[in-house]
Amino acid sequence: MNTAPARWLSDDEQRIWRSYLHATTLLEDHLDRQLQRDAGMPHIYYGLLVALAEAPQRRLRMTELAMQSKITRSRLSHAIARLEKNGWVRREDCPSDKRGQFAVLTDAGAEVLARTAPGHVAAVRQALFERLSPEQQKALGEIMQIVAEGLQPGDAGADLPWLR
Amino acid sequence: MNTAPARWLSDDEQRIWRSYLHATTLLEDHLDRQLQRDAGMPHIYYGLLVALAEAPQRRLRMTELAMQSKITRSRLSHAIARLEKNGWVRREDCPSDKRGQFAVLTDAGAEVLARTAPGHVAAVRQALFERLSPEQQKALGEIMQIVAEGLQPGDAGADLPWLR
DNA sequence: CTCCGTTTGTTTAAGTTTCAAGAAGAGGCT
DNA sequence: AGCCTCTTCTTGAAACTTAAACAAACGGAG
């Protein structure tokens, strides 16, 4: 229950918020379609492969991968099951913690990434970076950094030197 | 087929893009949870009720509602079916076009909106506007406007009733 | 008027995500 | 050792989204 006077959004704020909603849903749909068509998987799954490709030994613990990707472990479990069925990822037991599992990028997975990354990058570039001035790009980065930090306090300053 | 040299993202661009992905997924999850808890529906469904509430006669043709909300007609069809089951929306035949359907906000739907809007606005405010300077808010609006326009050319400032 | 391509909205099935519950190991405490 | 609690990851069912196929109605051309 909230006794404070419910403050609505100003006209400016409403415009900004709606632009945000439109742009983010359109962009997500756009990239999802692009990747579904060219790589046979949705955007999030692609992100999982990227995270694995960048990790040492091409492998990550399930929990760490889930956190990096901002998804629940449950969702990750299903997702990895699917990627495993595609032969792009394989699971390995963790020797030091018998509860643990590693998700490991297979050669086939790396190959899919190598084949589809250029097209995806091009799509991102064309939909976002090519349309924004350098100042706007910089502002966007700062804004999104602030928003993310606000919603997930604690993972920030750790490895983000540019935020001070 | 693309013969151009596949240009990867620069370090700066990568940081910006990752911040974007993190922030947008976190914010979407955050608002989805908030609305699921307080209003019993996901964010998109809430947006449909808002669109109807703002429309003349509290009603919109399915196609128009789908376009305003940036979703497919198929998805809308399912969504309205669910909202109808909740008693928040009802369908009405269009007299002038026998294929057409109106989605109409019911009193119960309006009541749900009135009850839950303040909490939702507060969540948006707290997660976004309270953390950004006026300049950043302005920049965000411009950036998102550009991105949306790029992905859906033709619906720009043209018809935005909320634009007053 | 009939034909033909388009628009409107729904439906089915397959895939994805969420939620709640649960199995199993880790780790501490007595 | 036994017990308790937390963490890790998985499972199954329900909800949601997507893609493709579809029926019905529209509307223009011949």
Side-chain angles (χ1 to χ4, degrees):
Chain A
M1 218 65 78
N2 179 9
T3 56
R7 196 169 34 138
W8 187 240
L9 297 179
S10 71
D11 286 0
D12 277 350
E13 288 169 333
Q14 274 200 58
R15 273 198 295 276
I16 294 166
W17 179 233
R18 287 192 207 238
S19 294
Y20 174 90
L21 289 178
H22 289 175
T24 53
T25 62
L26 286 172
L27 183 49
E28 195 183 330
D29 284 10
H30 181 66
L31 295 181
D32 258 351
R33 269 186 240 293
Q34 185 265 320
L35 279 173
Q36 189 70 56
R37 175 167 51 75
D38 297 350
M41 65 188 134
H43 192 199
I44 292 237
Y45 288 42
Y46 176 89
L48 296 176
L49 297 190
V50 171
L52 290 177
E54 290 175 344
Q57 317 290 332
R58 278 182 178 175
R59 78 194 50 210
L60 283 173
R61 284 287 295 271
M62 295 292 279
T63 294
E64 194 179 354
L65 180 51
M67 286 192 308
Q68 272 191 32
S69 307
K70 268 75 186 166
I71 65 178
T72 62
R73 287 196 300 275
S74 171
R75 185 175 176 181
L76 179 62
S77 218
H78 290 293
I80 292 295
R82 197 270 222 190
L83 292 174
E84 208 170 14
K85 208 177 301 183
N86 281 282
W88 298 335
V89 168
R90 114 183 80 86
R91 288 181 216 244
E92 270 183 28
D93 292 345
C94 174
S96 63
D97 185 337
K98 284 178 184 162
R99 298 166 302 180
Q101 292 273 106
F102 282 102
V104 187
L105 187 68
T106 64
D107 288 348
E111 201 269 315
V112 171
L113 256 192
R115 180 162 50 74
T116 58
H120 178 60
V121 171
V124 171
R125 204 177 259 304
Q126 182 233 311
L128 191 66
F129 290 107
E130 280 182 7
R131 304 184 183 278
L132 301 179
S133 70
E135 294 75 26
Q136 287 175 320
Q137 295 181 16
K138 182 161 174 292
L140 180 62
E142 291 167 355
I143 289 167
M144 291 304 170
Q145 178 59 43
I146 291 171
V147 172
E149 168 63 12
L151 290 169
Q152 191 172 81
D155 83 332
D159 49 358
L160 303 175
W162 21 301
L163 180 50
R164 179 190 21 235
Chain B
M1 225 58 74
N2 180 9
T3 56
R7 196 170 33 141
W8 186 242
L9 297 179
S10 71
D11 286 0
D12 277 351
E13 288 169 333
Q14 273 200 59
R15 275 199 293 276
I16 293 166
W17 179 234
R18 282 182 211 244
S19 294
Y20 174 90
L21 288 178
H22 289 174
T24 53
T25 62
L26 286 172
L27 184 49
E28 195 183 330
D29 283 11
H30 181 65
L31 294 181
D32 258 353
R33 268 184 237 294
Q34 185 264 320
L35 279 173
Q36 190 70 54
R37 176 167 50 74
D38 297 350
M41 66 187 132
H43 192 196
I44 292 238
Y45 289 41
Y46 177 89
L48 296 176
L49 297 190
V50 171
L52 291 177
E54 289 174 345
Q57 316 291 329
R58 279 181 176 177
R59 78 193 51 210
L60 283 174
R61 283 288 294 271
M62 295 295 278
T63 294
E64 193 179 355
L65 180 50
M67 286 193 307
Q68 271 192 32
S69 306
K70 268 74 187 166
I71 64 178
T72 62
R73 289 196 299 280
S74 171
R75 184 174 176 182
L76 179 62
S77 218
H78 291 293
I80 292 295
R82 196 269 222 188
L83 292 174
E84 207 171 15
K85 208 177 301 183
N86 281 280
W88 298 334
V89 169
R90 114 182 80 86
R91 288 182 216 244
E92 269 184 29
D93 291 345
C94 174
S96 63
D97 185 338
K98 282 175 186 164
R99 297 167 302 180
Q101 291 273 103
F102 282 103
V104 187
L105 187 68
T106 64
D107 289 348
E111 202 267 316
V112 171
L113 256 193
R115 178 162 52 72
T116 59
H120 178 61
V121 171
V124 172
R125 205 178 256 305
Q126 181 233 311
L128 191 67
F129 291 106
E130 280 181 6
R131 304 184 184 277
L132 301 179
S133 70
E135 294 75 27
Q136 287 175 320
Q137 296 182 16
K138 182 161 174 292
L140 179 62
E142 291 167 357
I143 290 166
M144 291 303 170
Q145 176 63 43
I146 290 171
V147 173
E149 169 63 14
L151 290 169
Q152 191 171 81
D155 82 334
D159 50 355
L160 304 176
W162 355 296
L163 253 250
R164 186 137 347 155

